[in-house]
Amino acid sequence: MVFEAHFAKDPAKTPASLDDLRTRVFYALQRHPLCRQVEFDIVSTPRTRRTNWTVSLHSVQPGALWTAHEIVADIQEAYELDAAA
């Protein structure tokens, strides 16, 4: 029972497909001037207590690294990868 509760879906998170997540991350990064050139990939991961997807950031300018990380973290708190995706 404890194991199932540990891996249960977070009801506060909205399910989204990989394409939805890509779009949301892209537009969120585009809104910040330092993050407009950031390249990224969305990667499905085994479900953990917090999430079942992650973002791999590429070509990030040094000044944009923490900002991009914070933007992605906010999106990860709000969305989970839909099981059908």
Side-chain angles (χ1 to χ4, degrees), residues 13-25:
K13 290 189 176 188
T14 303
S17 68
L18 280 173
D19 287 335
D20 291 337
L21 293 171
R22 255 185 228 104
T23 301
R24 291 176 190 283
V25 170

Side-chain angles (χ1 to χ4, degrees), residues 2-85:
V2 173
F3 180 77
E4 291 171 359
H6 179 73
F7 287 100
K9 288 185 177 182
D10 185 348
K13 290 189 176 188
T14 303
S17 68
L18 280 173
D19 287 335
D20 291 337
L21 293 171
R22 255 185 228 104
T23 301
R24 291 176 190 283
V25 170
F26 173 78
Y27 285 115
L29 291 173
Q30 292 303 304
R31 283 192 292 270
H32 195 284
L34 291 175
C35 299
R36 291 186 180 142
Q37 301 300 319
V38 172
E39 296 176 15
F40 66 93
D41 292 319
I42 304 288
V43 182
S44 174
T45 61
R47 179 170 294 284
T48 65
R49 189 175 75 226
R50 294 197 56 178
T51 189
N52 63 344
W53 62 280
T54 192
V55 175
S56 176
L57 298 172
H58 310 284
S59 305
V60 181
Q61 297 175 4
L65 182 61
W66 293 112
T67 303
H69 173 72
E70 289 174 1
I71 290 169
V72 169
D74 288 345
I75 295 171
Q76 282 184 310
E77 287 180 18
Y79 297 93
E80 70 178 356
L81 183 60
D82 191 8

